[in-house]
Amino acid sequence: PAYMNWNEEFTSPKMSYAEALTECHRQASPNISSLETEFVDKIAKHQRARMSSLQACSLAELKNSEPLRRLLALPALQSQAVQPLLSYCIDSSFLQLARRDGS
């Protein structure tokens, strides 16, 4: 929207349509990857902010459980680029389970 300033919302560089199209067709694009990471991080933060305190505490307990700590210790999941997506997936899975159980 016109009232939003790109540089206030994102750290990733703003691209023109032609630049974005070219970047999307590349095998690996650091510009696209950083923007995707920013989007996921913003969505995850918004999602976490909407959790109740009980849900937030339960999620923290889940993240400290032994099976999840072993999963998070895998070398493939240590990348900084993976962390926002991983956190979003764990949070979303927890919320789905909580809704199913009526929490």
Side-chain angles (χ1 to χ4, degrees):
Y3 63 86
M4 292 176 65
N5 183 340
W6 180 271
N7 295 328
E8 291 175 4
E9 290 293 322
F10 302 102
T11 58
S12 300
K14 185 175 182 179
M15 294 180 276
S16 68
Y17 177 80
E19 289 172 318
L21 189 62
T22 302
E23 290 288 317
C24 286
H25 290 294
R26 290 177 57 189
Q27 185 70 20
S29 169
N31 289 333
I32 298 294
S33 293
S34 68
L35 185 58
E36 287 172 344
T37 300
E38 277 192 79
F39 277 133
V40 169
D41 192 42
K42 285 182 181 296
I43 291 168
K45 285 178 182 173
H46 180 72
Q47 179 174 272
R48 266 182 250 118
R50 296 187 62 166
M51 286 184 187
S52 69
S53 58
L54 176 62
Q55 289 174 325
C57 289
S58 297
L59 182 60
E61 287 176 14
L62 173 69
K63 287 184 175 182
N64 284 325
S65 68
E66 185 60 30
L68 204 50
R69 281 191 298 187
R70 279 187 290 174
L71 174 69
L72 297 174
L74 293 173
L77 301 178
Q78 297 304 308
S79 164
Q80 288 290 45
V82 173
Q83 292 302 314
L85 182 58
L86 184 61
S87 181
Y88 173 73
C89 290
I90 292 169
D91 294 356
S92 295
S93 298
F94 171 79
L95 288 173
Q96 283 290 72
L97 291 171
R99 281 189 199 111
R100 186 186 71 187
D101 295 339
S103 310

